[in-house]
Amino acid sequence: MTLLPDTLLSGYRSFVQGRYLQETQTYRALARDGQTPETMVIACCDSRAAPETIFGAGAGELFVARNVANLVPPYNPDGEFHGTSAALEFAVQALKVRNIVVMGHGRCGGIKAALSPGSEPLSPGDFIGKWMSILQPVAETVAANALMTSGERQTALERISIRTSIANLRTFPYIAARERAGELRLCGAWFDISTAELWAMDPETGDFQRPLVDVEDAVI
Amino acid sequence: MTLLPDTLLSGYRSFVQGRYLQETQTYRALARDGQTPETMVIACCDSRAAPETIFGAGAGELFVARNVANLVPPYNPDGEFHGTSAALEFAVQALKVRNIVVMGHGRCGGIKAALSPGSEPLSPGDFIGKWMSILQPVAETVAANALMTSGERQTALERISIRTSIANLRTFPYIAARERAGELRLCGAWFDISTAELWAMDPETGDFQRPLVDVEDAVI
Amino acid sequence: MTLLPDTLLSGYRSFVQGRYLQETQTYRALARDGQTPETMVIACCDSRAAPETIFGAGAGELFVARNVANLVPPYNPDGEFHGTSAALEFAVQALKVRNIVVMGHGRCGGIKAALSPGSEPLSPGDFIGKWMSILQPVAETVAANALMTSGERQTALERISIRTSIANLRTFPYIAARERAGELRLCGAWFDISTAELWAMDPETGDFQRPLVDVEDAVI
Amino acid sequence: MTLLPDTLLSGYRSFVQGRYLQETQTYRALARDGQTPETMVIACCDSRAAPETIFGAGAGELFVARNVANLVPPYNPDGEFHGTSAALEFAVQALKVRNIVVMGHGRCGGIKAALSPGSEPLSPGDFIGKWMSILQPVAETVAANALMTSGERQTALERISIRTSIANLRTFPYIAARERAGELRLCGAWFDISTAELWAMDPETGDFQRPLVDVEDAVI
């Protein structure tokens, strides 16, 4: 038996024979000089929405934290373990990224769980339930909206959660300070898995719009 | 001004005109049927070590959590926010992945921070310091080893941390149970950014070895 | 019965009909004019790590001392027999070599013995135990490191021992003096028997790195 | 500047592209299974008399100790460092070699030093002088023989020293025991650098004779 799943080994072989072979100098320089990504992406764990794939990103371009439903918890320096906050601190304070992009996506399982508050926990510890409660009470409000279909509620909360995470980003004092100083930009994006449409959030209004009309020409 | 960083928009255009165009049916099926990834990867946020790139993974293949230094905290159902534990719960209990791969890499900034315990916090909240304390006291022991060079200490802790995370995975009752039942496999891997070498952990000894000699044929 | 083992006689026949036939003039000149090697190698007795083979060295190129685990004892002019110190004295003072390379290798039996301090001596005189005690107390420290696997401890001590030997070289007054004068260079190297990788020690940091990426191109 | 002398790196490149490439499976098997050499050679450090070259030996064939003038000191378990005795112990007790070959050679600088007892030490510690005193008082007797030319004295002591080393080998209890049991064979050989003649010692008489007449046909 191999030490890693066969599909990973086979994919690794392709990487080495293809991309790494073409970009060897880039990888070596990145190893030697360290990373200097301009952008941090906070994305979902979902296997269908890898930010490097969607943004066609090469080595060294994106610093990426991925958790269920691409959430940012509010600033809470209580001495507990906070993986996402640690990643933010490293990206902003050590790497001095110039952009943070919160990227959500359609058909998100975490958002779906947040919209089903009374459902059975996945395990007694209910880590998902607790994690998605970052979105309370907005999730409850959306869930209670009988005027929208379940599909509309799902999309609505996917976008509300992006706005919530961006609001939570601003509770980190150094993020707020750097944004005010014009050194850091906070963006929202939403990816439709089926059509590959990418919607970007307007920072003034919070509305999501498709930023690249000609790409759509290509797509569809 | 565009709503997203220009390099992301440009990369997205390439994705849509290239990969998505070729794999449109795959994306549509994944959207319609939901994701069924066989493997979860716990990886670092580092911009030089994206698991989809290294494992040449297509849409739907890898469920990915990324945090600083690819750490798994020990099981602690205390009702606080635990992003990585939530991702694990979702992957194992809802998606029923068959493999979990903890993937570390060389020159990891988080590991470097863990080896400099007396250094200045990156911010008053010291989220990185607290997060990396998941590796205490082993990080202290490694840091105190004056016989090894700083480079050797770094590599040693990168590998010890993978073994520690795998041990922590086994503190989750349902992970341990599924592993015992032969339904779930826990793997460790370590990626060298400069040479693209991928080292896999031997589950018996904990040693890291390069799993694919014929891949090396290709590489170099 | 022949006077020498058959495989040695057969190998000698190949040497005479092959290499010697081609290099007869070189051998005659070396006999007539004496040897003037630029480099001394201190290597292990291991049958898998002959320095002439690994460095593709021709007649007259390498002055070679080989002992178990390629150790250099500290300078100790006590009037006892010191084979390695005698070889050093001859190489540096009589032959005036310009480089000394301490070459270790993976899976070294001597290093393995040094990491098993309580094991049964190989004979009542325990020459191996005493010889490997040149590495005390560092071997004890490495042996006690429970965070590393036995394979990792082995590699760590193989490299620490090279650094120790190089430090011991500098306890010989004439070696230290010639190094200061820029007339003698001290190098460390480590050979992986399985992959044929050659790692060279950085003299500033003590780290080992592969010196020849383009050689790797060839290798594998 | 490279980390190792250029000629070694260049020779290593040849090794990797040539011999290692052809014998990769052998090297991997030797790494995996460990070494099992049938023969130990005790040879001189001289750059012109590498045993692997002269015996055309492949990886894994010869366990080799090399010191100045290929000497074996008498058995002396005094708790001091004895590199050659440690190598013997490892070869005989751990590896269970079946042959030990003491190989001398012409124009040996150590033998020449032993024949010039009043000459200036190479350094204040006089490690060479002390080391060569293993051959006292026979070296003094040969040096005092005014009937022989200096060339004849040199060759005579080169051969006497081989017989002395073989006698010293028999002072090691386990070597004597294994030889009596027919499990270990002690051989002497002498190599002429200029003509590549290999002379082997007759174990009964101690005389040296050329073992391979047809090789000489090839040579000369």
Side-chain angles (χ1 to χ4, degrees), chain D residues 134-193:
Chain D
I134 292 174
L135 287 181
Q136 303 298 30
V138 297
E140 281 171 10
T141 304
V142 174
N145 187 333
L147 294 174
M148 299 172 89
T149 67
S150 70
E152 287 168 348
R153 284 193 294 270
Q154 171 88 15
T155 302
L157 186 57
E158 284 163 4
R159 296 181 176 189
I160 289 167
S161 85
I162 293 168
R163 290 194 289 267
T164 302
S165 284
I166 288 176
N168 286 344
L169 282 175
R170 296 198 173 104
T171 64
F172 288 72
Y174 44 89
I175 291 180
R178 291 179 77 87
E179 190 189 26
R180 275 197 305 273
E183 296 164 356
L184 180 62
R185 189 175 162 203
L186 307 183
C187 305
W190 180 90
F191 177 71
D192 182 313
I193 292 167

Side-chain angles (χ1 to χ4, degrees), chain C residues 145-192:
Chain C
N145 187 333
L147 295 171
M148 298 172 90
T149 68
S150 69
E152 288 170 346
R153 286 191 293 268
Q154 170 89 14
T155 302
L157 187 56
E158 284 163 2
R159 296 181 176 190
I160 290 167
S161 85
I162 294 169
R163 292 195 289 266
T164 303
S165 284
I166 289 176
N168 287 345
L169 283 175
R170 294 195 174 106
T171 63
F172 288 72
Y174 45 90
I175 291 180
R178 293 179 75 88
E179 191 189 26
R180 275 197 305 273
E183 296 164 355
L184 180 63
R185 189 175 161 202
L186 307 184
C187 305
W190 181 90
F191 177 71
D192 182 313

Side-chain angles (χ1 to χ4, degrees), chain A residues 64-132:
Chain A
V64 178
R66 290 176 72 175
N67 59 42
V68 172
N70 42 274
L71 299 183
V72 176
Y75 181 70
N76 183 16
D78 61 0
E80 299 296 321
F81 300 147
H82 293 291
T84 303
S85 301
L88 283 167
E89 184 179 274
F90 193 80
V92 175
Q93 297 290 83
L95 299 176
K96 304 205 181 307
V97 294
R98 301 191 62 80
N99 312 288
I100 301 177
V101 177
V102 178
M103 183 175 83
H105 67 97
R107 302 157 203 259
C108 178
I111 294 293
K112 191 174 175 186
L115 287 169
S116 318
S119 57
E120 188 75 13
L122 286 173
S123 80
D126 193 20
F127 288 107
I128 279 287
K130 181 61 191 171
W131 177 249
M132 294 311 302

Side-chain angles (χ1 to χ4, degrees), chain A residues 2 12 79 123 130 185 194 196, chain B residues 2 12 20 79 89 130 185 196:
Chain A
T2 56
Y12 169 63
S123 80
K130 181 61 191 171
R185 189 177 162 201
S194 180
Chain B
T2 55
Y12 168 65
Y20 178 74
E89 187 179 88
K130 181 60 191 171
R185 189 174 161 203

Side-chain angles (χ1 to χ4, degrees), chain A residues 10-29:
Chain A
S10 151
Y12 169 63
R13 188 180 286 112
S14 302
F15 161 65
V16 168
Q17 292 174 341
R19 189 154 182 174
Y20 178 73
L21 206 55
Q22 287 163 10
E23 301 179 15
T24 305
Q25 294 317 314
T26 302
Y27 275 90
R28 290 188 179 157

Side-chain angles (χ1 to χ4, degrees), chain B:
Chain B
M1 194 170 78
T2 55
L3 296 179
L4 290 173
D6 286 340
T7 53
L8 273 66
L9 287 181
S10 152
Y12 168 65
R13 187 180 287 112
S14 301
F15 161 66
V16 169
Q17 294 172 342
R19 190 157 182 170
Y20 178 74
L21 206 54
Q22 287 162 10
E23 302 178 14
T24 306
Q25 296 316 315
T26 302
Y27 275 92
R28 290 190 178 158
L30 283 167
R32 186 183 62 236
D33 304 332
Q35 62 176 333
T36 53
E38 291 204 342
T39 299
M40 175 181 189
V41 178
I42 297 162
C44 184
C45 300
D46 194 293
S47 63
R48 302 164 296 178
E52 284 83 1
T53 303
I54 294 168
F55 292 123
E61 288 183 16
L62 302 180
F63 186 82
V64 178
R66 291 177 71 176
N67 60 43
V68 173
N70 42 274
L71 298 183
V72 176
Y75 180 70
N76 183 16
D78 60 0
E80 299 295 320
F81 301 147
H82 293 289
T84 302
S85 302
L88 282 167
E89 187 179 88
F90 193 78
V92 175
Q93 298 291 81
L95 299 175
K96 304 207 181 303
V97 295
R98 300 192 62 81
N99 312 287
I100 301 177
V101 177
V102 178
M103 184 175 83
H105 67 95
R107 301 156 202 261
C108 178
I111 295 291
K112 192 174 174 187
L115 287 169
S116 317
S119 58
E120 189 74 15
L122 287 173
S123 80
D126 193 20
F127 289 107
I128 279 286
K130 181 60 191 171
W131 176 248
M132 294 311 302
S133 77
I134 292 174
L135 287 181
Q136 302 298 34
V138 299
E140 281 171 10
T141 305
V142 175
N145 187 334
L147 294 172
M148 298 173 89
T149 67
S150 69
E152 288 170 347
R153 285 191 294 267
Q154 171 90 14
T155 302
L157 187 56
E158 283 163 3
R159 295 180 177 191
I160 290 167
S161 85
I162 293 168
R163 291 195 290 265
T164 303
S165 285
I166 288 177
N168 287 345
L169 282 175
R170 296 197 173 106
T171 63
F172 288 73
Y174 44 89
I175 291 180
R178 293 180 75 87
E179 190 189 27
R180 275 196 305 272
E183 296 164 356
L184 180 62
R185 189 174 161 203
L186 308 183
C187 305
W190 181 91
F191 177 72
D192 182 313
I193 292 167
S194 181
T195 63
E197 287 176 2
L198 186 69
W199 297 62
M201 194 189 79
D202 183 313
E204 302 299 323
T205 63
D207 280 324
F208 281 78
Q209 46 189 259
R210 275 166 287 181
L212 276 181
V213 176
D214 54 340
V215 163
E216 290 199 294
D217 288 339
V219 180
I220 343 189

